[in-house]
Amino acid sequence: MISTSNLTFRVGKKALFEDVNIKFTEGQCYGIIGANGAGKSTLLKILSGQLEPTNGEVIITKGQRLSFLEQDHFKYDEFTVLDTVIMGNKRLYDIMKEKDAIYAKPDFSDEDGIKAAELEAEFAEMNGWDAEADAATLLEGLGVGVEYHYTLMKDMPSAMKVKVLLAKALFGNPDILLLDEPTNHLDLDAINWLEEFLIEFENTVITVSHDRYFLNKVCTSIADIDYGKIQLYAGNFDFWVEASQLMIRQMKEANRKKEEQIKELKEFIARFSANASKSRQATSRKKALEKIELEEMRPSSRKYPYIDFKPNREIGNEVLTVKNLSKTIDGVKVLDNVSFILNRDDKVAFVGPNELAKSTLMKIITGEMKPDEGDYKWGVTTTFSYFPKDNSHEFASDDTIYEWLMQYSPEKDVQYVRGFLGRMLFAGDDGMKHVNILSGGERVRCMLSKMMISGSNVLILDEPTDHLDMESISALNNALIKFPGVILFSCRDHQVVETTANRIMEIRNGKLIDKMTTYDEYLAADEGARKSFTFTLSGDDATDN
């Protein structure tokens, strides 16, 4: 078990949270939620010992091992992938290396033999002989194939490093597992695997995530950081939404009744305080009035942007025709003879683990990259707006946000542009920030503002929820659901994909798999196909090969 006693953390004079007393118990998965800057990651760093609190302490049951998801992608550059994962259990890794060093001695002594025997006993007790197999299972579950297991971390792609560090955190059945945004930069297949792993995990999990579907699926409790406090709710994210709103309504209703009571008491006191026969009653009501305290309704730190994509013209029946597109990058054919026709009601989600293939297809149809073979044609009524995964080139200037957005606005009107910025949480002086110093989340909100102001009837979005907080993801999700035009998008947020898409396209080994279905239906069918395939291989036919 891990708990806090009077935990307080201040940044200057501002307290992110104060006098927090929470117990995180075994067998539970806790989701830490709150607005950007509320202190979610700070809390995890304090719990893991990476950061000292201003006041209070963290208490961990003696003998329990804590593991956390590290963010330093370069720390293990000189180690192999497999060794990095096993280092998730430091004591086990140290024993392995100490044993190897003893056995490698040219002058192996009796003392060395005794020490080696002691290490072997401890190694066996920690299931050390299964360590490499267990690490390999974690890596493969997250999509890191066997061909990478003995590769040095410095030679691994960034997306793969994220998965290795996650496998390291999960390794060795830790008693307490702390995960800060574990689904970031994972493909949907890896997220699905992680969800199942955590559901089966029997110890304590504490995770920060902006993924509502993930929180709903794995969490048994929600810890909400808001109003300078941390409030614990039993249940998943959807239960928190209902419970927290109910609590606010109850507080408002209680305050309304108290305000009515205060009004009645004041009127009585004002009417009868000078009346000798009623003076005793007036005095009694004064005392009653002094005892009434209204519940403090502090303003929430949560802020929701207003996102609304309104096309300037209705889209026609001819939207996009793609014929036989092929593209090879660094010797790998990421697109192989891809063809499809878009309909005017299509909301297409590109899924699958090959992010390069999805991004490449979007770059080609937006004209940012040329195919090796094939072509495509947009309908005459279409106008598209594109959100690239890497949008850093959009913010290379020294323009303010206001100046940056003004160049894309069809109306060169100050109030018109400021209206867009205000709705996207860039009110007042925030609109005068220079775009080259914006955070990832601020850049995304700028890009969405650009798309809104364009009035396009086709939206193309490559991982738009990266860097967004939960409130912004919810706002974007609602905007995509109500958008009357065509959408082509890739997204790691399961709920966004499920609630937006009516057509699923997966690029597998360069080939396109195209289904008119929702995402959950697609997953169910794919799971059924895999089970059927497994059953066939395990039956009589499997012995014929």
Side-chain angles (χ1 to χ4, degrees):
M1 185 182 74
I2 181 170
S3 60
T4 67
S5 176
N6 300 319
L7 196 68
T8 299
F9 188 81
R10 294 181 178 276
V11 180
K13 294 182 178 180
K14 179 185 176 183
L16 290 183
F17 38 81
E18 223 169 353
D19 295 328
V20 173
N21 296 284
I22 291 183
K23 288 182 180 179
F24 300 100
T25 58
E26 185 178 349
Q28 301 295 313
C29 180
Y30 298 86
I32 311 294
I33 62 171
N36 274 357
K40 302 184 296 294
S41 295
T42 298
L43 177 61
L44 282 196
K45 287 178 180 177
I46 292 172
L47 293 176
S48 65
Q50 300 174 78
L51 192 63
E52 286 292 324
T54 306
N55 290 305
E57 62 177 334
V58 175
I59 304 136
I60 298 176
T61 301
K62 189 175 181 180
Q64 291 201 332
R65 185 170 70 86
L66 181 147
S67 180
F68 61 91
L69 176 57
E70 296 187 67
Q71 306 296 328
D72 186 349
H73 293 184
F74 306 101
K75 183 176 179 180
Y76 301 96
D77 273 359
E78 300 306 318
F79 297 91
T80 66
V81 165
L82 210 59
D83 275 357
T84 300
V85 175
I86 296 172
M87 288 168 76
N89 188 335
K90 186 177 184 302
R91 177 56 187 161
L92 177 62
Y93 182 80
D94 289 346
I95 290 172
M96 291 174 64
K97 293 305 169 185
E98 190 174 355
K99 282 200 309 149
D100 291 345
I102 290 174
Y103 290 138
K105 282 186 174 183
D107 51 344
F108 191 86
S109 64
D110 291 342
E111 289 79 5
D112 290 330
I114 293 170
K115 181 63 176 176
E118 293 172 351
L119 291 173
E120 289 288 6
E122 189 176 356
F123 183 71
E125 188 178 338
M126 298 177 74
N127 295 320
W129 295 111
D130 297 326
E132 290 197 1
D134 291 344
T137 299
L138 290 172
L139 288 167
E140 290 179 50
L142 289 166
V144 182
V146 177
E147 66 273 19
Y148 290 109
H149 292 187
Y150 294 95
T151 303
L152 287 177
M153 283 288 281
K154 66 181 179 183
D155 297 324
M156 292 289 286
S158 295
M160 287 289 192
K161 282 186 177 183
V162 172
K163 294 181 176 183
V164 176
L165 292 178
L166 179 55
K168 175 181 178 292
L170 303 178
F171 178 76
N173 195 37
D175 300 290
I176 301 161
L177 178 58
L178 307 182
L179 301 173
D180 191 357
E181 297 291 359
T183 61
N184 272 8
H185 309 296
L186 292 186
D187 55 79
L188 287 167
D189 286 345
I191 293 173
N192 291 337
W193 180 89
L194 177 61
E195 288 167 354
E196 295 303 321
F197 179 93
L198 294 179
I199 289 169
E200 297 295 326
F201 190 73
E202 296 180 349
N203 298 330
T204 305
V205 181
I206 306 172
T207 181
V208 170
S209 179
H210 291 142
D211 188 326
R212 298 158 295 168
Y213 182 89
F214 177 78
L215 292 172
N216 272 330
K217 192 157 185 186
V218 306
C219 290
T220 56
S221 296
I222 297 293
D224 179 29
I225 304 179
D226 202 1
Y227 309 105
K229 299 178 180 179
I230 303 179
Q231 180 74 36
L232 204 60
Y233 296 81
N236 63 11
F237 178 76
D238 281 349
F239 183 85
W240 166 80
V241 172
E242 294 181 11
S244 60
Q245 292 303 310
L246 176 62
M247 184 180 293
I248 291 171
R249 288 196 298 270
Q250 289 175 336
M251 288 174 65
K252 287 181 177 178
E253 179 62 19
N255 277 352
R256 184 187 66 79
K257 290 179 178 179
K258 288 179 181 178
E259 285 168 352
E260 288 178 357
Q261 188 179 4
I262 288 170
K263 182 181 178 183
E264 291 174 1
L265 290 172
K266 284 183 175 179
E267 287 176 352
F268 185 93
I269 293 165
R271 188 184 307 171
F272 298 111
S273 58
N275 187 318
S277 64
K278 298 280 188 179
S279 62
R280 184 174 294 178
Q281 295 180 41
T283 301
S284 175
R285 281 164 170 74
K286 282 182 181 178
K287 292 179 179 179
L289 181 62
E290 290 170 358
K291 292 179 180 178
I292 298 175
E293 293 184 5
L294 295 175
E295 293 283 348
E296 184 183 10
M297 300 289 290
R298 299 178 65 179
S300 172
S301 57
R302 289 182 167 86
K303 294 181 180 179
Y304 291 82
Y306 178 76
I307 304 175
D308 190 17
F309 303 105
K310 293 182 178 178
N312 292 333
R313 65 184 296 186
E314 188 177 353
I315 200 165
N317 290 324
E318 294 184 8
V319 181
L320 173 66
T321 301
V322 172
K323 291 184 179 179
N324 310 120
L325 286 185
S326 293
K327 184 68 179 180
T328 298
I329 297 178
D330 296 331
V332 178
K333 201 165 193 176
V334 295
L335 299 177
D336 186 2
N337 203 33
V338 169
S339 299
F340 60 88
I341 297 174
L342 279 187
N343 305 309
R344 61 179 298 171
D345 297 320
D346 282 347
K347 306 288 191 294
V348 179
F350 295 109
V351 303
N354 193 334
E355 296 190 11
L356 179 59
K358 292 179 283 187
S359 295
T360 299
L361 179 55
M362 283 189 254
K363 286 179 181 179
I364 289 174
I365 63 176
T366 56
E368 296 218 345
M369 182 183 287
K370 290 185 177 181
D372 297 333
E373 298 174 21
D375 55 26
Y376 62 92
K377 183 181 179 182
W378 287 100
V380 293
T381 62
T382 59
T383 54
F384 67 78
S385 188
Y386 174 44
F387 182 107
K389 182 186 298 184
D390 180 6
N391 51 50
S392 56
H393 62 281
E394 294 267 3
F395 302 96
S397 72
D398 195 41
D399 289 344
T400 63
I401 298 175
Y402 165 74
E403 292 168 336
W404 181 87
L405 187 58
M406 178 65 85
Q407 66 182 315
Y408 300 112
S409 174
E411 295 186 31
K412 305 303 178 184
D413 178 77
V414 173
Q415 295 306 317
Y416 179 76
V417 174
R418 286 195 181 279
F420 270 91
L421 293 177
R423 290 195 291 271
M424 295 301 286
L425 309 182
F426 293 116
D429 291 342
D430 285 342
M432 302 310 292
K433 287 183 179 179
H434 292 277
V435 296
N436 56 8
I437 61 167
L438 296 180
S439 68
E442 288 172 327
R443 287 184 177 187
V444 172
R445 284 189 276 124
C446 281
M447 291 297 295
L448 294 175
S449 299
K450 175 186 172 183
M451 296 182 80
M452 282 193 289
I453 214 166
S454 72
S456 301
N457 53 26
V458 178
L459 304 179
I460 304 172
L461 305 105
D462 193 357
E463 304 295 350
T465 60
D466 286 0
H467 307 294
L468 287 183
D469 59 19
M470 194 177 293
E471 291 71 37
S472 297
I473 292 173
S474 296
L476 174 60
N477 194 174
N478 293 333
L480 294 178
I481 290 170
K482 66 183 284 192
F483 180 64
V486 169
I487 305 175
L488 300 98
F489 71 107
S490 65
C491 183
R492 296 184 179 90
D493 189 294
H494 184 117
Q495 190 165 333
V496 171
V497 179
E498 168 59 19
T499 57
T500 303
N502 57 22
R503 185 175 179 181
I504 304 295
M505 293 186 185
E506 179 179 352
I507 303 171
R508 190 178 296 174
N509 298 323
K511 299 289 188 180
L512 184 72
I513 301 168
D514 185 0
K515 300 289 184 181
M516 299 296 295
T517 182
T518 66
Y519 183 55
D520 281 348
E521 291 169 344
Y522 181 80
L523 288 178
D526 194 44
E527 178 67 21
R530 284 198 295 269
K531 286 181 178 177
S532 175
F533 180 71
T534 302
F535 175 78
T536 301
L537 288 182
S538 63
D540 294 337
D541 291 344
T543 60
D544 294 337
N545 294 325

